[in-house]
Amino acid sequence: MTVFYPNGQPFKATPRSVNNNSDSDVVYGHRGMTLEEDLNVTNRYYLEVDQAVIYKKPTPIQIVKVDYPKRSAAKITEAYFRKASTTDYNGVYRGKYIDFEAKETTHAQYIPLKNFHAHQVEHMKKIKHHGGIGFIIVKFSQTGETFLLDADYLAYYWSEAKRGGRKSIPKQLFLEKGHAIPQNYLPRIDYLRVVNKVYF
Amino acid sequence: MTVFYPNGQPFKATPRSVNNNSDSDVVYGHRGMTLEEDLNVTNRYYLEVDQAVIYKKPTPIQIVKVDYPKRSAAKITEAYFRKASTTDYNGVYRGKYIDFEAKETTHAQYIPLKNFHAHQVEHMKKIKHHGGIGFIIVKFSQTGETFLLDADYLAYYWSEAKRGGRKSIPKQLFLEKGHAIPQNYLPRIDYLRVVNKVYF
């Protein structure tokens, strides 16, 4: 049950240590949440109700310098962000390996392909080749509509772009070949309901 | 084919960008390699010969301060290591979700349970419950022997320890219930050969 403060702000639940990726408290409401935050809450929900085990991978960091102060934790003093070779999310659901990347676009009618990396496209192809389930989740932030689209379509648009074709995936494709993801209080972005329908 | 320099040192191959976790060059030889390095080489081999898609997850880092210098990459200037909630390795093989943790022990006859965290033990239980394959890989560094042991045994020893039982897993258990992993030039630590036998 959602609890709201008198000012209309949602109740801030105590953060759980279950997810190793969210550095900050998690707000159990739905104002101004990013897709990533929504997915973290969703995945934690799936974990807590024992529906699936899916995590966001930690951000890959290249560590250059570490201080080891006496009587306190090792402190990283120089490090850089690295580009991921894989997608951000993976895990297991109904005995199947699940793998996906999630992106938001501010464009009303398309998502630019530069939101993805060549490594990620290749990674998802391999995942599917080995019998895993691979897809992207894209949120059109102007309307809040969120879709699941099989990784094959991303691979197809990617290869077309390399041959000089358009550099984005049109929203129309998500409407025709993708699947709108139901959004609720919890689970926030219920993508497993779509996975049930599409892959099982 | 391994190439050695005249001083006996192995040829240092160009690092590949395929693995997002190894910060340093990878040495294609077998002297003084840690289990983690061996597994990185092994997983890259599996990827290259199209046998499986299995990665080590990046180390989870809590980022506190980031500098954004003009005309150069964002620089993390304060960050700390975090304890992982999951295991280090996961991926897909023959359509199945694979999940494992790998540890070395310097003790000849046992591995202390403190090499694992409660979260990891719980995580592996959930993985198995959802139809995934979960195990540990343990290297006894005195002899170099390396074993695969199903996660159920870890869970059992973990719960016994919590009830006052022994705080380690004896090597004898690995010999009786585990499976010695064949070690070669490539794949270095051929754990998928054992996975074939045990889980398929």
Side-chain angles (χ1 to χ4, degrees):
Chain A
M1 205 187 86
T2 333
V3 179
F4 288 90
Y5 289 115
N7 65 0
Q9 288 302 302
F11 167 65
K12 209 172 191 182
T14 310
R16 301 283 306 266
S17 59
V18 134
N19 188 303
N20 63 350
N21 307 298
S22 83
D23 290 341
S24 55
D25 291 6
V26 168
V27 179
Y28 280 94
H30 209 162
R31 290 156 192 249
M33 298 286 275
T34 64
L35 177 59
E36 176 177 332
E37 289 167 323
D38 278 343
L39 284 170
N40 284 344
V41 174
T42 299
N43 286 336
R44 204 160 64 211
Y45 173 84
Y46 288 150
L47 197 63
E48 285 176 1
V49 301
D50 203 20
Q51 199 176 337
V53 183
I54 297 165
Y55 280 94
K56 182 173 186 295
K57 292 185 185 178
T59 307
I61 305 280
Q62 174 142 28
I63 296 166
V64 177
K65 258 189 230 153
V66 184
D67 273 3
Y68 296 93
K70 276 185 192 162
R71 278 185 291 279
S72 58
K75 180 178 169 181
I76 299 160
T77 57
E78 186 181 350
Y80 300 92
F81 295 100
R82 312 184 69 188
K83 201 179 271 188
S85 316
T86 67
T87 50
D88 271 357
Y89 299 88
N90 76 357
V92 61
Y93 175 56
R94 293 176 63 181
K96 297 285 260 176
Y97 175 86
I98 301 273
D99 196 293
F100 64 97
E101 185 64 26
K103 293 291 178 194
E104 288 186 63
T105 178
T106 55
H107 300 286
Q109 294 303 329
Y110 63 91
I111 178 165
L113 283 169
K114 66 170 195 272
N115 280 279
F116 305 94
H117 306 302
H119 278 150
Q120 295 179 324
V121 178
E122 282 311 307
H123 173 74
M124 282 191 267
K125 273 192 210 166
K126 285 177 190 153
I127 291 307
K128 296 203 65 173
H129 173 66
H130 287 282
I133 293 170
F135 52 84
I136 57 175
I137 291 178
V138 171
K139 178 178 177 177
F140 289 85
S141 51
Q142 285 191 27
T143 59
E145 290 163 288
T146 305
F147 298 90
L148 182 153
L149 183 72
D150 189 84
D152 285 352
Y153 293 103
L154 172 64
Y156 176 76
Y157 272 76
W158 192 268
S159 67
E160 287 295 299
K162 268 171 68 178
R163 289 160 27 166
R166 66 177 291 166
K167 307 289 184 242
S168 64
I169 308 175
K171 185 177 177 185
Q172 195 57 33
L173 186 82
F174 290 91
L175 292 167
E176 284 170 15
K177 303 295 187 184
H179 306 270
I181 301 176
Q183 299 184 50
N184 313 300
Y185 171 58
L186 269 178
R188 194 74 56 84
I189 308 277
D190 196 2
Y191 63 89
L192 288 183
R193 201 191 293 195
V194 174
V195 167
N196 281 337
K197 216 170 53 186
V198 177
Y199 297 103
F200 286 93
Chain B
M1 203 190 84
T2 332
V3 179
F4 288 91
Y5 289 116
N7 66 359
Q9 288 301 302
F11 167 66
K12 212 171 191 184
T14 311
R16 302 283 304 266
S17 58
V18 135
N19 188 302
N20 62 350
N21 307 296
S22 83
D23 290 340
S24 55
D25 291 6
V26 167
V27 179
Y28 280 94
H30 207 162
R31 291 159 192 246
M33 297 287 275
T34 64
L35 178 58
E36 179 177 331
E37 289 167 323
D38 279 343
L39 285 170
N40 285 344
V41 175
T42 300
N43 287 336
R44 205 161 63 211
Y45 173 84
Y46 288 149
L47 197 63
E48 286 175 2
V49 300
D50 204 20
Q51 198 175 339
V53 184
I54 297 166
Y55 281 95
K56 182 173 186 295
K57 293 185 186 178
T59 307
I61 305 281
Q62 174 143 29
I63 296 166
V64 177
K65 258 189 231 151
V66 183
D67 273 3
Y68 296 93
K70 277 182 193 162
R71 279 186 290 278
S72 59
K75 180 179 170 180
I76 299 161
T77 57
E78 187 182 350
Y80 300 92
F81 294 101
R82 312 184 69 187
K83 201 180 270 188
S85 316
T86 67
T87 50
D88 271 357
Y89 299 87
N90 75 358
V92 61
Y93 175 56
R94 293 175 64 181
K96 297 285 261 176
Y97 175 87
I98 302 272
D99 196 294
F100 65 96
E101 185 64 26
K103 293 290 177 193
E104 287 188 63
T105 178
T106 55
H107 300 285
Q109 295 303 327
Y110 62 92
I111 178 165
L113 284 169
K114 66 169 194 275
N115 280 280
F116 305 93
H117 306 301
H119 278 149
Q120 295 179 325
V121 179
E122 283 310 309
H123 173 74
M124 282 191 266
K125 272 192 211 169
K126 284 176 192 154
I127 291 307
K128 297 203 64 173
H129 172 65
H130 286 282
I133 293 171
F135 53 84
I136 57 175
I137 291 178
V138 172
K139 177 177 178 179
F140 289 87
S141 52
Q142 286 193 25
T143 59
E145 289 163 289
T146 305
F147 298 90
L148 182 153
L149 183 71
D150 189 86
D152 285 352
Y153 293 103
L154 172 64
Y156 176 77
Y157 272 76
W158 192 268
S159 67
E160 287 295 299
K162 269 171 66 177
R163 291 166 17 172
R166 67 177 291 166
K167 306 292 184 240
S168 63
I169 308 176
K171 184 176 177 185
Q172 194 56 34
L173 186 83
F174 290 91
L175 293 165
E176 285 170 14
K177 304 294 185 183
H179 306 269
I181 300 176
Q183 298 183 50
N184 312 303
Y185 172 59
L186 270 178
R188 194 74 56 85
I189 308 277
D190 196 3
Y191 63 88
L192 288 183
R193 200 190 293 195
V194 175
V195 167
N196 281 337
K197 214 171 53 185
V198 178
Y199 298 103
F200 286 92

